[in-house]
Amino acid sequence: MNTKDYSDWLVVSDIDGTLNNRFRHTPEVNTKAIERFVHTLGGSFTLASARNVQSLRPHYMNLPDVRTPAIVMNGAGIYDFSAEKMLWFNPVPSSGREVIERTLKKFSSLEVGIFTDDMVYLVRPRVLSPVMMALDSLRHRRCRTLDEVPEGKWGKVIFFCLPHLKKKIRDFVFSASEDDVAFIDTTSMSFDMVSATTNKGNAVHVLAEMLGIPDGNIGAIGDYYNDLDMLKSVSHPACCKQAPEEIHRVCEFHACHCDDGAVADFLRYIEESY
């Protein structure tokens, strides 16, 4: 029996709640399925995450000898871990700095995290932003003011605030912003600012073009709203069982719960269907 050839296919997966289970561990069934898809069937597999390079590294290195570049910071960059090189980057525009300055001045309790390719700069850190750095062991620097943050490649900016202030701060940020930035809800105590042209979907297609993958052979799987642009943009979108209904509505395949190996479920579906 001939083995199928998926050398002209790309499958991209979110990490938390998709590749990993609710305890942030990768089910063994996912690892085995990825190994088969890449090494037996010849497909390209990679990760797309809100994480920066440092935070994504251990999850990527845990994959079974995958070589495909990964998508970082919600699509702001494409990083080649084999060459240790950023292949493509879409930074927050200069207007974003003005938005941050105004918002910090307006809300004294606000904390801001600015993510570059290799560092996180925390402006006015108190509790929320340091806790996030500790949870993911992120390399970071504390800054009293925005002037201490170097100009350059800001991949994304996180606004940290208490839940009861989030709507008020979001409304102010939106009203103060230009059309060249966009916002992504992440948790009850944070939201991200990125370039208006930054999302996982755009980055997936940039990566596919780099690899010579046709649009009709791109699959993606996620579990939450920050995956929505990616799922809408690919020919074969899938989501985990626990995803919100809005995510299920745009998907071709509805995988099992992330705890049970949703990525393996999706890769099995691709092999059986195409």
Side-chain angles (χ1 to χ4, degrees), residues 73-210:
M73 291 182 280
N74 274 326
I78 297 174
Y79 192 81
D80 185 344
F81 283 98
S82 298
E84 295 295 352
K85 180 181 179 181
M86 190 71 75
L87 303 180
W88 178 84
F89 199 78
N90 191 32
V92 174
S94 58
S95 66
R97 185 185 186 95
E98 298 172 14
V99 173
I100 299 168
E101 287 176 334
R102 290 184 215 166
T103 313
L104 285 169
K105 188 177 295 185
K106 177 78 172 176
F107 299 96
S108 60
S109 64
L110 179 68
E111 304 173 44
V112 172
I114 298 171
F115 285 63
T116 67
D117 54 352
D118 62 353
M119 182 62 67
V120 183
Y121 296 90
L122 302 183
V123 182
R124 293 198 325 212
R126 288 179 174 82
V127 177
L128 300 178
S129 56
V131 165
M132 178 185 178
M133 299 302 105
L135 285 173
D136 288 325
S137 301
L138 292 179
R139 185 166 56 248
H140 62 280
R141 292 180 187 167
R142 292 171 176 252
C143 305
R144 288 172 296 177
T145 69
L146 195 59
D147 292 335
E148 296 177 32
V149 182
E151 298 282 354
K153 293 184 175 180
W154 296 8
K156 71 171 183 175
V157 177
I158 301 184
F159 294 85
F160 296 94
C161 53
L162 294 174
H164 71 280
L165 290 175
K166 181 177 174 181
K167 184 180 186 305
K168 188 174 182 179
I169 293 175
R170 276 187 53 196
D171 289 347
F172 178 84
V173 169
F174 292 169
S175 67
S177 300
E178 303 292 336
D179 291 339
D180 55 359
V181 294
F183 299 91
I184 305 167
D185 262 325
T186 48
T187 74
S188 62
M189 296 182 288
S190 66
F191 60 96
D192 294 1
M193 178 173 69
V194 294
S195 164
T197 54
T198 286
N199 61 64
K200 290 182 181 180
N202 287 344
V204 165
H205 285 278
V206 171
L207 176 59
E209 187 173 348
M210 289 179 179

